[in-house]
Amino acid sequence: SGKEKWPKGEEKVWRAGMRSVDKNISDVTRSVVNHVQTSLARQPYNLDDFGAYQASALSVRDNLLVNWNETQMNYTRKAPKRAYYLSLEFLMGRTLDNALLNLGLKDQYKDGVKSLGFNMEDLLEKERDAALGNGGLGRLAACYLDSSASQELPVWGYGLRYKYGIFQQLISQDGEQLEAPDPWLENQNPWELPRIDVTYQIRFYGNADRVTDGSGRAIWQGGQEVLAIAYDVMIPGYGTKTTNNLRLWESKPKRGFDLNSFNAGNYEGAVEVSNSADAITSVLYPNDHTFWTAASLADILRRFKNTGKPIKEFPDYIAIQLNDTHPTLAIPELMRILIDEEDLHWNQAWHIVTNTFFYTNHTVLPEALEKWPVPLLEHVLPRHMQIIYDIVSAQSYIFHRPKLISSDRTCMVSFPYVHPELTADVAPFRFFLQAVEKKYPGDRDRLARMSLIEEGAPKQVRMAFLACVGSRKVNGVAELHSELVQTTILKDFVDFDGISKFGNVTNGITPRRWLDQCNPELSALISKTLQLSPGAWLKELTKLEGLLPYAESKTFRAEWAAIKQRNKERLARHVEVTLGLKVRTDAMYDVQIKRLHEYKRQTLNILGVIHRYLTLKSLKPAERAKANRKVVFFAGKAAPAYYIAKLTIRLIVNVARVINADPETNEYLQLYFLPDYSVSLAEVLIPASDISQHISTAGTEASGTSNMKFCLNGGLLLGTVDGANIEIAEEVGESNVFFFGHLTPAVEDLRYQHVYHPVPIEQKCPALAQVLNQISGGLFGGDGVYEPLLNTIRQGDYYLLTDDFDSYIAALAMVDEAYLDKEEWIKKSIKTTAKMGKFSSDRAINEYAESYWNIEAIPVPDGIVA
Ligand code: CR6
């Protein structure tokens, strides 16, 4: 139309951008214009924010590609030892802003798109999150990729290219969680490079026949093959040319395959199911796991072979990190390749395997430890199951001849693994159990405990044990957790292998995304105050300690507090725009955001909110006016089949409805459940928080990583003595965190008491009883719908809400009291940020590189790599 400005921005800039020789516009502008015209085939006059985002992304991608190519060429040329991070989840979030930051091109692109009539902040909002994961474990993998590249370490990620990200969470009228698919690839993904030249064929089903020459080899044939196709995602390091690779596999049925015996549709479906389902409760299905680990190993092996090194040097050039047990089938798969395809003797193969793999455990919750039914594995992966049996037999054989084992672990495999009496058609596992039973009757308990195969109907493979036995080192993710791994689930293996195989690497978070990107104002204030460039402290986070003296400066405190306030306003705007709700900003912001799970105890939090509400209601107006104003935020998804977790969401939503509408109290207490929690939502919530809650039953949360993000952004922590909370308190000082609740050693006994000497809640914890009665009485509606949730507390109370409620309420009161002293609170906030240096994922990744993988930084030289 004549009124509309043509095009957006300055016409002469667009025109100049179309002429590649015009010196008056920047390269950035020219490149964006070029992508609008060529890659997108769009015209300037109808370009919307989404189109401008796409063109900018493609333009940034060009920059990444140059660095990525040089990095890969440099690796090929130098052939250093490399590490591969195998993870079923990579929760990357958005890419554009991160790529701009890491490339150091933020300002150029901001100005470039501005000259074309666009606002970079609006464009950034157009990107969809890559949500290929459930929670902490997947986000940890993403932080580790950022740090690996930033530290110039030769690390690649390997994962699955899910067609659907984790489900989109909708909340119904009555507060129920509904799940909608997240077709994140629908709008094309500018950040991935399809590699149709990199494909592998992966076999399933069929028969594995042992070769009866005593070599342990087998021939696996028949069944069906599926194609694995690589998609590469470039991972730029911060302030370095190094740009690593994340290779994601897509599955495709092989042409000409037998439709009768393999249903390709089902295969695709299985991949989707495993992605959306919570790792803890999902029905396990081995196809996608194998498919992905097998493709990754084939790819790793091909690259290794290109170096021309002999196979026995494999562990000198390759370290493979198993992110939890999901990729554990890589262990029998590498054995299969080495024995069946590379013709190695079992002992040589086992030596290579046990020097290549590293296993990180991320949970000690018994229900979360993966076990796969033997009959299923036998059906889908007959050769792998054979190998697992062979490992079991080698394991039991060795175990029962401890005196023959030298302290050098490599000798563990120097026995003939095939017992002289063993014939090929006798299942070695049973054979050894019988032999052992005869010879070492006293040791049967221990053997049964340690076996990779759990007896029962059906028998099951204990994946954590397989990962442990097949790895060079095993670690947990926070000090307390690593100790629990060593003293509980893997205790027998510590006795057997010696403690030196076991360690701890406390988790970390990337300060690029979790401070500079999500809280740019705070980042700028820090740079200004420390008189450092961002690069100087974002890569050496302990430099934050330089902020400590400024806690005593009144003007600095005022600046610090003003930023927190603006971050609250930003969050409030976000809630208003997305949900149409008005959140007050003159209040303390209290946040709990994480997967919904009983052990994380969102229930404790909501019961505490109700308690606060009832207390406020009981006060006279004059008394109430003295109360600390507070807004409580929840966000998080529940596994689709996790009934109790979904009820908790429903309760939160309905409590919010009642208390936000109560004119008597809503000045003092508001409550919001923000739907569809994601990385991007976390980036808005975390900088706005005054206090965040990490209140798991002691000993259940392996680490937690959002606790680190909140504290890095100057939010204080209310938590139990669990996971990384403990180490955060060690760093920032116990006076700056609010701890409550029973400690880990008490948990077992308390649970025993609940079962054998139950005390009625009315007696044990009257305040809690009152809250439960109000819910049952219908204060929040629901018509009895919450009873199953309340009954988990009334009966058994496995997560110890009745034990911790009173001290939780007391801790909340201390938080209120501390917040009333504004200046002291800000000091605590500054001191907390200042002492968070330890929790950079740079520190964590360097620990893996040095103490586990034995790899070194490989900087990309200046100039073009030849
Ligand atoms: N759920 C732990 O529970 C830890 C992350 C990353 C978890 C959590 O405490 O911070 O891993 N465990 O180490 C698993 O996923 C099995 C998680 O994210």
Side-chain angles (χ1 to χ4, degrees), residues 217-237:
R217 284 182 63 226
I219 295 171
W220 180 23
Q221 53 199 356
Q224 291 297 336
E225 291 189 313
V226 171
L227 271 190
I229 302 165
Y231 284 75
D232 287 348
V233 180
M234 293 167 285
I235 309 292

Side-chain angles (χ1 to χ4, degrees), residues 584-641:
R584 60 182 322 132
T585 54
D586 58 347
M588 165 192 255
Y589 277 17
D590 176 336
V591 185
Q592 188 180 18
I593 46 176
K594 46 187 89 232
R595 285 298 290 236
L596 264 288
H597 206 292
E598 285 166 285
Y599 85 81
K600 293 180 186 286
R601 299 202 295 192
Q602 282 94 350
T603 311
L604 182 59
N605 188 347
I606 189 61
L607 296 175
V609 171
I610 297 172
H611 180 267
R612 190 181 188 94
Y613 173 62
L614 297 176
T615 309
L616 282 171
K617 290 287 279 183
S618 71
L619 293 178
K620 296 214 171 69
E623 281 298 305
R624 205 180 290 143
K626 293 184 202 151
N628 184 21
R629 290 200 188 104
K630 181 157 144 173
V631 182
V632 178
F633 294 92
F634 282 90
K637 295 177 183 179

Side-chain angles (χ1 to χ4, degrees), residues 590-592 689-694 707 710 716-719:
D590 176 336
V591 185
Q592 188 180 18
S689 136
D690 293 302
I691 187 94
S692 67
Q693 302 206 21
H694 309 272
N707 44 6
F710 282 105
L716 303 193
L717 189 152
L718 166 60

Side-chain angles (χ1 to χ4, degrees), residues 158-291:
Y158 275 110
L160 263 177
R161 182 178 182 266
Y162 302 99
K163 281 221 181 85
Y164 295 89
I166 186 166
F167 65 85
Q168 192 195 337
Q169 180 191 52
L170 308 168
I171 303 295
S172 77
Q173 273 302 311
D174 52 8
E176 263 185 292
Q177 169 180 294
L178 305 176
E179 298 97 27
D182 165 30
W184 71 295
L185 294 168
E186 210 172 50
N187 294 338
Q188 293 194 328
N189 177 10
W191 303 111
E192 65 180 11
L193 310 162
R195 309 302 304 239
I196 45 176
D197 52 322
V198 183
T199 65
Y200 298 94
Q201 300 177 11
I202 311 300
R203 185 182 304 280
F204 293 107
Y205 312 113
N207 301 305
D209 301 311
R210 285 182 188 271
V211 179
T212 48
D213 61 358
S215 67
R217 284 182 63 226
I219 295 171
W220 180 23
Q221 53 199 356
Q224 291 297 336
E225 291 189 313
V226 171
L227 271 190
I229 302 165
Y231 284 75
D232 287 348
V233 180
M234 293 167 285
I235 309 292
Y238 173 71
T240 161
K241 258 196 194 175
T242 297
T243 303
N244 282 335
N245 198 25
L246 165 60
R247 182 157 280 180
L248 303 176
W249 298 105
E250 186 191 65
S251 62
K252 224 178 153 180
K254 217 176 117 179
R255 244 173 302 175
F257 73 106
D258 175 10
L259 263 173
N260 295 328
S261 57
F262 189 90
N263 184 328
N266 279 347
Y267 180 72
E268 302 277 357
V271 171
E272 285 158 30
V273 164
S274 107
N275 175 38
S276 59
D278 187 291
I280 287 170
T281 51
S282 68
V283 185
L284 295 167
Y285 197 78
N287 286 31
D288 55 336
H289 291 63
T290 334
F291 153 79

Side-chain angles (χ1 to χ4, degrees), residues 613-743:
Y613 173 62
L614 297 176
T615 309
L616 282 171
K617 290 287 279 183
S618 71
L619 293 178
K620 296 214 171 69
E623 281 298 305
R624 205 180 290 143
K626 293 184 202 151
N628 184 21
R629 290 200 188 104
K630 181 157 144 173
V631 182
V632 178
F633 294 92
F634 282 90
K637 295 177 183 179
Y642 197 163
Y643 176 61
I644 294 294
K646 285 176 130 178
L647 268 186
T648 306
I649 294 180
R650 188 161 175 177
L651 179 61
I652 296 168
V653 172
N654 284 296
V655 171
R657 198 161 290 159
V658 170
I659 70 179
N660 292 349
D662 190 329
E664 241 178 10
T665 58
N666 63 10
E667 184 181 344
Y668 305 100
L669 180 61
Q670 295 190 333
L671 170 63
Y672 297 92
F673 184 91
L674 306 186
D676 205 30
Y677 182 51
S678 64
V679 172
S680 291
L681 185 56
E683 289 170 20
V684 186
L685 275 159
I686 288 169
S689 136
D690 293 302
I691 187 94
S692 67
Q693 302 206 21
H694 309 272
I695 56 178
S696 48
T697 312
T700 61
E701 187 71 274
S703 162
T705 41
S706 78
N707 44 6
M708 303 169 187
K709 296 166 194 168
F710 282 105
C711 291
L712 184 59
N713 285 275
L716 303 193
L717 189 152
L718 166 60
T720 44
V721 185
D722 202 15
N725 290 354
I726 300 169
E727 285 156 79
I728 292 175
E730 275 167 18
E731 292 297 305
V732 309
E734 271 201 43
S735 58
N736 294 319
V737 303
F738 299 91
F739 270 145
F740 73 95
H742 286 86
L743 306 184

Side-chain angles (χ1 to χ4, degrees), residues 89 134-141 144 279-280 323-326 360-365 368 476-478 481 507 595 599-600 700-708 723-724:
E89 303 188 4
N134 288 295
L137 173 139
R139 184 53 231 176
L140 183 76
Y144 282 173
I280 287 170
N323 195 27
D324 216 75
T325 50
H326 317 136
T360 304
N361 172 286
H362 293 266
T363 185
V364 292
L365 295 187
V477 291
H481 168 66
N507 282 168
R595 285 298 290 236
Y599 85 81
K600 293 180 186 286
T700 61
E701 187 71 274
S703 162
T705 41
S706 78
N707 44 6
M708 303 169 187

Side-chain angles (χ1 to χ4, degrees), residues 346-363:
W346 171 279
N347 294 350
Q348 293 170 305
W350 188 243
H351 178 79
I352 290 175
V353 164
T354 51
N355 281 292
T356 299
F357 288 104
F358 297 84
Y359 158 52
T360 304
N361 172 286
H362 293 266
T363 185

